[in-house]
Amino acid sequence: MLYNTTQQGEMMLKSYIQDCKTLQEKFEQKSPTQKLIVRCQNRLNSNDYNLSFFESLEQKSTEPMQIAIIGQFSSGKSTFLNALLGQDILPTGITPITSKVCKICYGEDYILEILYKDGKKVLQNVEFLHKLTRENSKNIDYFCLYAPIFLLKEINFLDTPGFNSQNSDDTHATLKVLEQVDGIIWLTLIDNAGKNSEKALLKDFSSHFAQKSLCVLNQKDRLKNEEEIQTSVEYAKSAFEGIFSSVIPISARLALKARLNTKEKFFETSLLNLTHSIQDIALKRTDSTLSIQESLQRLNALFCDTQEKINAQSSKEEDFKHLMQDSNMPLIFDFLNQTIKPKANLAKSHSTLKRLKEMHVLLHLQYHKINQNYKNLQNILQQSNIEFAQKCGISKAQEQKIFNELYLNLDMLLDSLAQKIFNALEKQSIDFNQSKKTFLGTKSTTQNKEVTILPLEKIRIALQNQDTQLVKDYKAISVKIKNFLDLFIDSIHQNTNSLAQKVSTWQDSAPKSLELYLVAPQSQSLQNLYHFAQHCYENILTDFNNNALIVTSFLRSELNVLSNFLSLNYNNAIDLTLTRLDLKIKNAISKHQENQEEFALFNPTLENVRESLNEAFCFEQFQARLFGPMNSLNKAYAQFLERSEQTTESKIQLITQVSFMLKKEVDKILQNLKEIQAQSLTL
């Protein structure tokens, strides 16, 4: 059993090694550009690109070149393409019919493929193009026209709506095409070439192509003679200097006429018409509407008529050859065969690298924008932390004044209370017996002394009556101490609410700021940002709100102790003060009665009364919590700022970690861009 398991493991390992060798061999067979594409793809995060994008780039080297026919509105692009194809299939006219691009590529039959914006594909006859209007084409994305023309096996043409037409969609569609093609043929009217608008437009995109493109001056037959034609050509060469490799004057109209009337084309058309006529006769014969003799006569007449037309056409063949030469269209075919085709691989490689570079640049920009959003949030947190310190400093200074007033009010009320107790002290005469030893024995004497007494019940009634102003003032201080918490809560909430508003604004703006840069909408980094933004409360604000709750609870506890003591223990504190003073007075009288020399009577001073009140009312605690350097308010603000700073640091550390991970992805993109640039320089 162990032997079989080992054998299976060895077989799996050999199979794996063989698969690796096969993949390596396939990779080695790829072109340098294809190898670069694979390396770039392997470096990137799989969520940062569309697989079909890289597949299309790899396949581009085996596909026909993509040449766009572009130019100003109404320059004769469709007629020119019809002349190139040798078929009058594309609609022509002064008014552009549609703002859709039509890709013309090789197929076994003439057929039109319509690709709709919802992804649906529909096949139609070519005649569908002639029936098209802007209204019934608004849901169409683009067309593919298939034609059995040998040239299309090597070059695909893209018929574009053009620039400066009646609809801005035309210009937009044309510019979109230019991002993907391998080269262009610029078509313009011969008597209107070289305008500043054309030059500005051409300079914007001509540098994107590996080889210089072709400028075609159409409708040369509108000029009087060859001299005027050459003058226009020289002017165009001067105006477009450095942009085109060649400027060729043509007449697309004459070229199309010549191509539609060649011997081969005429024979093809005649044969097709003959076939249709024979089929018609056969159908009528089947329906018994024609006799055999009538059918033979009609067939004989058809053959004779077709032969006469072919013979007549043959006699005109030289005329159409001359017409073709006069149109200058052969120079266009020479340019395609001698300039475009030999450099096809170079052009396709350049176009591939251009698209690969653009994709990486956009991806880099997307990562930059993602990282910038995190940086913006980091700046919000750092700035808020500074604002917390500034605002708390202002709030604390204002609130400390109220704290001081509460302390001073309490101090003054205790002074008033002490004064009332002191004023209530009464004097009373008491006889004190004193024994003195003499030589004759012990002699007793009586001495009357005035002592201070405390009329407890009288003072209690005066001080503990709930209707007295003194009691009301104490209750008012208790309420003010408790209500002070609301001021503190408002101050703290102003800070947290300000942060919440800024974070909410960031939360709304972060996804919107990326809408224009979404080259990779499925990017994990992008999804992480969206998720982080959606859960800002949990990710950011919860901890700051918890900080506010903790310090608020601390100050509430501190103030409740003071407030409750004043409101609930007032009578007890009065009783305790009076009892202590009374006991102290009575103890002094009792001890003085025993030994007048050793123990003095106790006559409370105003200071003595205040000290007793301070002790009974725990005044030192009030002083420490309301007035001291580390009073409760200072402690609460210090805690809030310390906790906020710690929370800010932890959030910034989290953002820094995210930025570090983003940088690693950006480094991969930059490495790819570096290789793409190096590869471009070798072309």
Side-chain angles (χ1 to χ4, degrees), residues 35 90 227 346 390 396 443 677:
K35 290 179 181 178
L90 293 174
E227 183 179 351
L346 175 65
Q390 294 173 343
K396 186 177 71 171
K443 183 181 179 180
Q677 183 64 26

Side-chain angles (χ1 to χ4, degrees), residues 61-89:
S61 60
T62 61
E63 294 176 348
M65 283 188 68
Q66 310 293 311
I67 302 296
I69 312 299
I70 62 174
Q72 302 282 31
F73 156 62
S74 191
S75 56
K77 292 184 299 298
S78 296
T79 303
F80 174 72
L81 270 168
N82 284 337
L84 273 178
L85 302 175
Q87 293 285 346
D88 193 9
I89 52 177

Side-chain angles (χ1 to χ4, degrees), residues 653-668:
Q653 186 177 5
L654 175 63
I655 293 172
T656 302
Q657 291 173 351
V658 174
S659 294
F660 177 75
M661 298 304 296
L662 291 173
K663 185 179 182 303
K664 290 176 67 175
E665 296 300 323
V666 169
D667 288 342
K668 296 176 185 178

Side-chain angles (χ1 to χ4, degrees), residues 483-583:
N483 291 344
F484 178 84
L485 183 66
D486 294 335
L487 290 175
F488 179 77
I489 291 175
D490 287 343
S491 298
I492 295 299
H493 282 179
Q494 283 179 11
N495 288 283
T496 54
N497 289 342
S498 175
L499 174 61
Q501 288 175 359
K502 292 176 181 178
V503 171
S504 178
T505 300
W506 177 87
Q507 183 181 30
D508 293 336
S509 63
K512 293 178 182 177
S513 67
L514 286 160
E515 289 177 356
L516 298 176
Y517 309 100
L518 293 185
V519 65
Q522 300 304 318
S523 168
Q524 187 60 52
S525 299
L526 183 65
Q527 298 306 315
N528 290 343
L529 175 64
Y530 286 163
H531 185 271
F532 189 89
Q534 290 171 357
H535 296 82
C536 264
Y537 185 86
E538 300 94 316
N539 294 329
I540 300 293
L541 298 178
T542 296
D543 289 342
F544 284 97
N545 290 336
N546 286 341
N547 293 339
L549 183 61
I550 289 171
V551 297
T552 301
S553 298
F554 163 76
L555 189 59
R556 177 183 285 110
S557 175
E558 292 282 295
L559 297 179
N560 281 345
V561 168
L562 303 180
S563 177
N564 291 339
F565 188 90
L566 289 178
S567 62
L568 301 177
N569 296 322
Y570 172 78
N571 288 339
N572 292 335
I574 295 295
D575 287 340
L576 180 60
T577 301
L578 296 177
T579 300
R580 284 177 176 175
L581 286 172
D582 183 60
L583 183 61

